[in-house]
Amino acid sequence: MKALIILAILATLAILFFLYSRNKDLKKLVIGLATFGAIISLAVLGNLTRQVMPIFMTHIILIILSWGGLLVYLLRDKYYWWIIFSPVITIGLFLVLEFLTGSGHELS
């Protein structure tokens, strides 16, 4: 599974730089790299939600959809920002739940 994730990351970077070498569109490259970095950051930040499994599974699904949104932008030039940044919802929901119910790891 880890190898598949690494291959997906490398394939996305390869697509980004291949399309740049073909079209010489610097704006698209910069937007693509920034979005790629944001998706990776959201994926890493999503490990915060691992304690609540339904929210974590939803977060993983939304990360996959946001990756697909990045590929749609690269191939069709349509930027669906609400799909790409949808994993923020699960992180926000987790933080609200933790604020309301507590972490359960408090010291006595």
Side-chain angles (χ1 to χ4, degrees), residues 7-28:
L7 285 175
I9 290 171
L10 292 176
T12 304
L13 288 174
I15 290 170
L16 267 167
F17 287 108
F18 174 73
L19 290 176
Y20 173 71
S21 69
R22 199 167 113 204
N23 297 335
K24 300 296 183 200
D25 189 4
L26 185 61
K27 180 181 176 183
K28 187 173 181 178

Side-chain angles (χ1 to χ4, degrees), residues 38-48 56 59-60 63 67 87 91:
I39 291 171
I40 295 296
S41 298
L42 287 172
V44 170
L45 193 59
N47 285 331
L48 177 78
F56 180 68
H59 183 76
I60 295 298
I63 287 291
W67 209 296
I91 295 169

